[in-house]
Amino acid sequence: MAIPSFMNDPVALEKARELLRRDDALGISKSQTNCGPTPCITFGEDDQFISLTGAHAYASPGPGDIRGPCPGLNAAANHGYLPRDGIASIEETVSGLGGLYNMSPELAAVLAAYAVALDGNVLQGVWSIGGPLPPDLLSDALLGTGQGLSYSHNNYEGDSSIGRNDAYLNGGDAHSLNITKFERVYELGGPEDRYTLDKFRARFEEVQDESIANNPYYFTGAFSTVVVVPAAYNFVINFMSNHTKEEPSGYLDGYNFKTFFGVSGEPGSFKWERGQERVPENWYRRPSDNPYTAVDVFADVGIGYAAYPNTLKFGGNTGKPNSFVGLNVADLTGGVFNAKDLFEGDNLACFSFSLLQQAIPDFLNTALNNLGPITDLIDKYVGPIVGGLSCPQQGKYDVGLFDQFPGYSYSPTGPATNYK
């Protein structure tokens, strides 16, 4: 099934509508379980129960500990599944996120390697789940100190978050929860008190429209904004749902949702407990026989774009609200991909990883002659995934087309302290 991009192309838009009518992509999104592309059909008490005692007892972060924009990472650190100081190696990330959420090793590794390369410390092989890493003079002199996920605009963090503000609209802060925005998502549970992938995808479209209407620096088109931002909506469902004997494919209700996001109180009087995200009591992860993989990420993102084609955008506002200018995929990729074939086969993954690799120089605060260790690290973990895909011959992408959008180069700098 090919779902074309519609920017600046009314013919492509009509083709998208025709495909949606024919293939019922919206029905696919609505029918998905909380386990993503592959339903979870087994349940094992010993396999899936998450211990919150002993080494994994909850503890609030200390004065020097780092927390950031991702509630799932914050909760993992608060329970010791990730290092409690919020600074992790690739190996610690793979072990911790696999143990707590059953994220597959190759997905955890590539996400961690990406964070190390663009926002962490390549020489020490660590990254921060929140603000800047502690200074290291040797690494600083060679590569610069990473600003962490909290200040990773357009390389990890992106506009139109599920619960955070766009960075430009909040003085560079895209890591603090906006409780009003959270409450609007919380309302999606409805009287049945259940959250699904489809409900969150519909909300993504609303948030994206709000960003375009209000943020003069709104931008989408980088790996973070085309893949990571919509994937973050999917991650909440796929990783935070409680899997039980009665509901092996999982459910996410208001209690679990609030607990993972560090929110207390009731609608109308919610309060965000900064840095206090935690794993709910009596919570069971996905079964070991169904880890969430890199393939699943792209399948879920693709289903979301098929169900809500207006969310697939390349471009941005040009310095004023509601000034969105779209880019043609063929122009961006030198004709390697076009609006008709981006969703055929492995093309979305091939396009996304190539965009990630070729845009690295634009996102780094370092001299170009120091790129070697960074690109080597990315290639080490992305290469095996891409090697398993059927990708066309990759050309040089014209990421210079993004320069016309002020939001592409906007890069807020983190403060001396982190999540406080």
Side-chain angles (χ1 to χ4, degrees), residues 135-215:
D136 181 296
L137 296 179
L138 175 61
S139 296
D140 287 355
L142 293 175
L143 297 172
T145 296
Q147 290 293 301
L149 294 194
S150 292
Y151 301 94
S152 59
H153 191 65
N154 284 340
N155 67 47
Y156 232 114
E157 173 272 316
D159 294 330
S160 303
S161 161
I162 191 171
R164 269 66 183 174
N165 294 308
D166 289 1
Y168 183 78
L169 295 179
N170 201 36
D173 177 359
H175 55 273
S176 296
L177 185 69
N178 180 318
I179 203 66
T180 301
K181 203 171 184 180
F182 174 85
E183 185 152 1
R184 290 186 62 186
V185 182
Y186 187 86
E187 292 170 354
L188 299 177
E192 67 273 21
D193 191 28
R194 288 292 188 272
Y195 301 89
T196 66
L197 286 162
D198 187 66
K199 286 181 179 180
F200 275 23
R201 289 168 181 149
R203 176 58 184 156
F204 175 49
E205 183 169 31
E206 294 174 352
V207 174
Q208 197 179 61
D209 289 343
E210 292 166 3
S211 290
I212 292 172
N214 294 285
N215 182 3

Side-chain angles (χ1 to χ4, degrees), residues 3 27 119 131 146 148 169 173 197 214 247 257 263:
I3 302 300
D119 301 301
L169 295 179
D173 177 359
L197 286 162
N214 294 285
E247 297 185 64
F257 190 21
V263 173

Side-chain angles (χ1 to χ4, degrees), residues 257-280:
F257 190 21
K258 287 195 305 179
T259 304
F260 268 114
F261 271 69
V263 173
S264 61
E266 299 301 323
S269 60
F270 280 145
K271 181 180 179 181
W272 178 42
E273 307 290 345
R274 185 182 292 266
Q276 309 300 309
E277 296 89 346
R278 62 197 303 165
V279 179

Side-chain angles (χ1 to χ4, degrees), residues 21-81:
R21 287 193 294 268
R22 185 183 69 201
D23 292 330
D24 191 25
L26 185 59
I28 295 173
S29 180
K30 284 188 174 180
S31 67
Q32 270 193 287
T33 72
N34 284 32
C35 243
T38 305
C40 298
I41 58 176
T42 63
F43 174 76
E45 175 88 22
D46 294 337
D47 172 48
Q48 295 175 240
F49 180 71
I50 292 300
S51 172
L52 303 182
T53 61
H56 297 302
Y58 173 82
S60 296
D65 294 337
I66 296 173
R67 298 295 181 268
C70 177
L73 296 177
N74 292 347
N78 287 340
H79 285 280
Y81 283 93

Side-chain angles (χ1 to χ4, degrees), residues 106 110 113 353 356-357 375-389 391:
E106 91 283 352
V110 75
F353 282 127
L356 180 161
Q357 292 170 300
T375 55
D376 288 348
L377 181 64
I378 291 289
D379 291 344
K380 176 181 178 180
Y381 290 97
V382 170
I385 296 177
V386 175
L389 302 175
C391 292

